Amino acid sequence: MGITFNLQRARPADVYVGRSALAELMSVLHIMAEPGHHPEAQRWTHRLGTAISPSLAHEMSALSPLWARLRCRLLFPLGLPLDQPFEDELRHLEKLPLEEFVGLCSQGVLGFREAVPPARSLLTDPEAAERYVAQCELRSIRRGELAHDLVASPERLRGRLLCFLDSCAEAFFASEWRTVRDRLESAAARVRGDIRRRGLAEVLAGLSPTAVVSRGGERVRYDKLAVAEIEIGPRPLFLLPSVHVWPHLTVKDEESHPVVLQFAAREDGTADQLTQAELRARMSALASLGRMEVCRHLLGEPITTSELAQRMGLADTQVSRTLRQLRDAGLIESEREGKYVYHRLATSTLLRLGQDVLATIMR
């Protein structure tokens, strides 16, 4: 499984890095729709949830299929330039040809990588529209209701969506955007500079700990549930930094539109994100009763290998081997003082393990 970027034909002129307020708002709405998937943001989402009106919260729930799972391509930049004001992004969405709006919206409402009828069929063929609504109803009642609204009156749904997005900006997002926009510009500038200095493949690989570069930098593969190969060049690639997308790496690959990769603009980089191999190593290390017992002894003050062996009634070599396994998994810290090496449990790593499991599964 995974998504592979084929860079064989990619040129610097095919890659654009910039901000999108609308895409950032969608990341916020995704967190609001799936708060259980983002435990690191629970306090923030709770505060935000209490600040919005009941009517806005109701509309947020009704429209949530557009961002709860397969984030709708409508809410990412559809063309150049990037870094447009939020109002201009909404104006572009308002002027989008109806058939293009329906085509992109219909896939977002379904929320699954599954074929949907062409937009023209949804607009002109009642039987195709009925099949599409039934297809969405199988996913959820809310998706079915939104699919019905889309085929019954797409312009009315577009007006609802634009009104909702504008209300979000007024209620909470305008202030949030002022908080994050400079950070996003710094991240975008850093990525632009890195592409010039290090090349596109290396920069793309640095956006996720799951990335694998192959064929001399011609291919970059991300570990995702979806399976696809995406050719960059002459088709453009938009790289969008986001404060709120973490731990996801979002890739959008709708035909006739630029490829989008939305990545986490984390001030501390991606070093704290685990690969699946690292996560398995930590879980495996804790699955052993013997290694778990060693961890319990290391919870207090730092101790040496010999003292730990004496406490447990084991040979120094056996304890040393166990300590090495735990250290390789990042679960203990060892520090030399004179001729002795003292070991202690990496409690911060253990406290974060649950979040690491969730983040690794989600991205």
Side-chain angles (χ1 to χ4, degrees):
M1 295 186 295
I3 293 179
T4 299
F5 281 14
N6 185 337
L7 308 178
Q8 189 173 9
R9 300 173 61 193
R11 304 165 302 161
D14 299 321
V15 182
Y16 302 87
V17 189
R19 300 170 298 178
S20 167
L22 184 56
E24 190 67 17
L25 173 56
M26 182 164 54
S27 294
V28 171
L29 294 172
H30 170 78
I31 294 175
M32 297 293 291
E34 303 285 357
H37 293 177
H38 296 268
E40 79 289 345
Q42 282 184 357
R43 187 175 300 175
W44 177 79
T45 53
H46 176 74
R47 184 174 68 251
L48 188 59
T50 58
I52 63 177
S53 68
S55 60
L56 185 59
H58 179 270
E59 191 73 334
M60 186 180 295
S61 176
L63 295 170
S64 64
L66 293 174
W67 46 76
R69 189 182 183 279
L70 191 71
R71 273 150 280 193
C72 186
R73 183 64 179 84
L74 274 175
L75 304 183
F76 291 100
L78 296 172
L80 294 170
L82 302 179
D83 292 295
Q84 293 188 62
F86 182 74
E87 296 78 10
D88 289 357
E89 291 190 281
L90 292 191
R91 194 173 301 115
H92 182 76
L93 187 56
E94 182 180 17
K95 295 179 178 179
L96 198 67
L98 183 61
E99 192 170 319
E100 186 175 357
F101 172 82
V102 171
L104 293 172
C105 191
S106 60
Q107 190 71 63
V109 171
L110 178 63
F112 195 71
R113 293 182 182 277
E114 184 177 289
V116 298
R120 185 175 296 276
S121 296
L122 292 177
L123 290 169
T124 61
D125 184 348
E127 290 186 0
E130 186 176 346
R131 287 195 304 272
Y132 168 70
V133 172
Q135 185 181 12
C136 292
E137 286 174 340
L138 289 174
R139 298 273 290 120
S140 73
I141 294 174
R142 186 175 295 160
R143 291 186 186 278
E145 291 173 346
L146 199 56
H148 177 271
D149 293 345
L150 175 63
V151 299
S153 181
E155 285 292 11
R156 186 182 301 133
L157 179 60
R158 176 167 22 195
R160 272 181 64 193
L161 177 60
L162 289 167
C163 182
F164 167 76
L165 296 171
D166 190 56
S167 297
C168 285
E170 183 178 350
F172 63 87
F173 184 69
S175 60
E176 179 66 15
W177 181 247
R178 287 192 294 271
T179 301
V180 304
R181 62 188 179 187
D182 289 345
R183 180 175 165 187
L184 294 179
E185 175 52 35
S186 296
R190 184 169 58 251
V191 170
R192 291 188 204 106
D194 287 346
I195 291 174
R196 288 193 299 270
R197 289 188 298 271
R198 297 158 46 199
L200 181 58
E202 186 176 341
V203 172
L204 291 178
L207 300 180
S208 171
T210 72
V212 176
V213 180
S214 62
R215 297 189 185 177
E218 289 185 354
R219 298 164 71 86
V220 178
R221 179 184 174 276
Y222 298 107
D223 182 20
K224 305 282 286 182
L225 282 177
V227 179
E229 179 165 331
I230 304 171
E231 187 170 314
I232 307 301
R235 185 182 178 198
L237 170 64
F238 290 173
L239 297 177
L240 307 178
S242 169
V243 168
H244 297 288
V245 75
W246 189 89
H248 303 290
L249 182 83
T250 301
V251 178
K252 304 303 295 181
D253 178 35
E254 278 71 7
E255 292 182 5
S256 304
H257 295 89
V259 179
V260 170
L261 192 156
Q262 189 184 36
F263 62 94
R266 292 175 64 80
E267 293 175 344
D268 51 357
T270 60
D272 63 340
Q273 297 186 46
L274 299 182
T275 65
Q276 288 195 28
E278 290 169 333
L279 179 63
R280 284 195 300 269
R282 290 184 181 178
M283 300 293 285
S284 176
L286 292 173
S288 160
L289 291 177
R291 288 191 288 270
M292 181 66 81
E293 185 68 16
V294 169
C295 288
R296 296 179 67 187
H297 282 284
L298 295 175
L299 185 56
E301 62 181 355
I303 60 176
T304 65
T305 303
S306 297
E307 183 181 353
L308 183 58
Q310 185 177 0
R311 286 187 187 184
M312 300 183 68
L314 299 172
D316 283 14
T317 54
Q318 185 177 352
V319 171
S320 180
R321 183 168 56 251
T322 300
L323 289 171
R324 184 175 63 253
Q325 291 168 332
L326 292 170
R327 186 167 49 249
D328 289 346
L331 297 174
I332 68 168
E333 299 164 348
S334 302
E335 185 176 351
R336 178 175 292 278
E337 292 186 13
K339 63 179 182 178
Y340 296 105
V341 176
Y342 291 85
H343 313 283
R344 72 185 310 161
L345 193 64
T347 52
S348 60
T349 299
L350 284 171
L351 284 170
R352 205 180 60 224
L353 191 55
Q355 181 175 321
D356 285 338
V357 172
L358 185 59
T360 303
I361 291 172
M362 287 170 57
R363 62 183 173 225

